[in-house]
Amino acid sequence: MFIQPTRSRSKGFTLLEVMIALIIFGLIATVIQKVTAQTIVQSERIRLKTFANWIAENKMAEMRLSEQLPPTREQKDDLEYANEKWKLVSKVTKTSDVNFHRVDLEVYHLTENDQFDKGNQILSYSGFVGLH
């Protein structure tokens, strides 16, 4: 009796299939990395905007709680808030009503070397202060 050897076909992936799978996984990983990086940048931007809003609201509250109208002028203040350095620019102008002044606040986040740059403006805030 003569038994012929049978060829067993190995079950697995071909090199082409593996390469295509690697390309697909590489593309997916690239997309995930870009989305994650954008999320981190947006998170930092929201954090800075929140702090800038608190700074502006605090300044406006100080002016409103004052017993007198703030003088009409432009003032620049350097602040440290939440372990960050900030510049607050206050512009107070007169209105047609003598009992009210318009207040425009601009909040800037200072860079590592404390450079003031108009491009670092985080928030612009406007309001009115009046006599009670």
Side-chain angles (χ1 to χ4, degrees):
M1 191 174 345
F2 183 68
I3 301 176
Q4 286 193 350
T6 59
R7 291 188 188 197
S8 66
R9 181 162 167 125
S10 63
K11 304 205 179 204
F13 296 106
T14 65
L15 179 60
L16 181 61
E17 291 170 332
V18 170
M19 290 180 70
I20 290 173
L22 284 174
I23 289 172
I24 291 171
F25 287 131
L27 291 173
I28 291 171
T30 302
V31 168
I32 289 173
Q33 186 272 334
K34 286 185 179 183
V35 168
T36 303
Q38 288 175 346
T39 302
I40 291 170
V41 167
Q42 288 300 327
S43 171
E44 178 64 13
R45 183 82 177 145
I46 290 170
R47 186 180 76 81
L48 290 176
K49 273 192 163 292
T50 300
F51 290 148
N53 191 50
W54 289 342
I55 290 169
E57 286 182 357
N58 287 344
K59 182 65 173 180
M60 190 66 78
E62 286 175 14
M63 290 181 174
R64 287 183 175 149
L65 290 173
S66 175
E67 296 293 323
Q68 56 193 9
L69 286 174
T72 56
R73 65 178 175 174
E74 180 175 323
Q75 180 179 345
K76 296 179 182 177
D77 298 314
D78 290 323
L79 308 166
E80 185 165 332
Y81 190 82
N83 296 325
E84 304 272 347
K85 295 190 179 186
W86 303 85
K87 183 170 288 290
L88 175 64
V89 179
S90 308
K91 298 175 189 172
V92 180
T93 55
K94 291 182 180 182
T95 62
S96 58
D97 187 338
V98 295
N99 293 319
F100 288 95
H101 283 173
R102 178 186 170 108
V103 179
D104 294 305
L105 302 172
E106 295 173 354
V107 183
Y108 298 88
H109 184 246
L110 298 181
T111 59
E112 292 85 26
N113 53 2
D114 296 340
Q115 291 295 319
F116 174 63
D117 181 10
K118 289 279 188 182
N120 291 344
Q121 181 177 350
I122 304 296
L123 181 77
S124 181
Y125 192 96
S126 296
F128 293 90
V129 177
L131 294 175
H132 326 147

